[in-house]
Amino acid sequence: MDAPRASTAPLVTAPTARALALPRPGNWRRPALRILSVGLFFVAWHVVTTRRLELYVRFQNVPSPAQVLEEAVELFSSAPFYVHILASLERIWLGFAIAAVLGVGLGLLIGWFRPAADTLLPLVELLRPIPAVAWVPLSIMLWPTERSSIVFITTLGAFFPIVLNTVHGVEGIDRQLVRAATSLGAGPAAIFREAVIPGALPSIVTGLSVGMGVSWLCLISAEMISGQFGIGYFTWVAYGIVKYPQIVVGMLVIGVLGMLSSALIRLIGARCMPWLPRR
């Protein structure tokens, strides 16, 4: 009786089997739900604007998605619209960078050193409730150019969320980590560098993300009041000349730019914290 012949079929290793496996439902469920939610929003927008519904909220003058899309194609094919976008991006990132440096530095100082908290935190709490828009008249008097005054307003909007989240992050550090570092012979500078900053980093990233959103709000408000360029200025002028599709295009551009800016902050923060589990 002949011996059984060895199989010539290629072996499927574990990694190959995982690669050939069908994607699990959980891998596509969340993206599908997000796309569906956006799609339902546009469907509802189309229905209420094309049927001119009036359910206490009036939709008679609100442009439909088709009208906004037509206007967006025309605007994005012209150079002046990109001038407004670039002007807003320059102001937002310059103001946010200044707020990040000042806010994180001051937050670490207030959160870790008691004399700094006693002297600086009351001033921060005094100025924090003042809306950034209320600073617009004073900023016009303080700064020599329109650009610098708008950057100042943008910086103020991002500064307070950043500094307060940084303070809370430092105060929430597990003191056992500090004691362990001290028992191992670490000095104050090493403890601050190796324990305090990494421990407060999740709260710092949260503050940066929140500050980015607030800074966009302040930027658009400042551009509407005192600007000559920018998405906020463009949207306000469109309202003045009764071009409703341009208003909605400006609003959507603000939303997309703000969403991408916050997503970029979160992505950079995740890269800086490789020890945290990723969802």
Side-chain angles (χ1 to χ4, degrees), residues 21 28 92 146-147 168 173 177 201 220 245 247 260:
W28 52 263
I92 194 75
E146 169 219 353
R147 175 174 174 269
H168 293 325
I173 292 174
L177 296 176
L201 198 54
I220 299 305
I247 297 175
L260 293 178

Side-chain angles (χ1 to χ4, degrees), residues 184-225:
L184 293 174
I191 292 174
F192 188 78
R193 183 179 63 253
E194 302 295 338
V196 175
I197 295 179
L201 198 54
S203 295
I204 293 174
V205 173
T206 300
L208 293 172
S209 181
V210 174
M212 175 59 78
V214 178
S215 62
W216 269 106
L217 172 64
C218 298
L219 171 72
I220 299 305
S221 301
E223 288 180 344
M224 286 183 174
I225 295 174

Side-chain angles (χ1 to χ4, degrees), residues 20 63 85:
L20 295 176
I85 294 177

Side-chain angles (χ1 to χ4, degrees), residues 79-145:
F81 190 61
Y82 291 97
V83 174
H84 293 293
I85 294 177
L86 293 177
S88 293
L89 288 176
E90 180 199 15
R91 293 163 178 166
I92 194 75
W93 283 107
L94 180 57
F96 180 79
I98 297 172
V101 172
L102 296 178
V104 173
L106 195 63
L108 291 172
L109 194 65
I110 293 174
W112 191 244
F113 299 101
R114 184 171 298 176
D118 294 336
T119 56
L120 297 176
L121 189 57
L123 183 60
V124 171
E125 291 293 347
L126 174 65
L127 299 178
R128 182 173 63 90
I130 302 175
V133 180
W135 289 88
V136 171
L138 186 60
S139 68
I140 295 174
M141 293 185 290
L142 286 174
W143 300 96
T145 64

Side-chain angles (χ1 to χ4, degrees), residues 245-261:
Q246 289 189 4
I247 297 175
V248 180
V249 172
M251 293 171 60
L252 291 178
V253 170
I254 293 167
V256 171
L257 292 178
M259 179 185 66
L260 293 178
S261 301

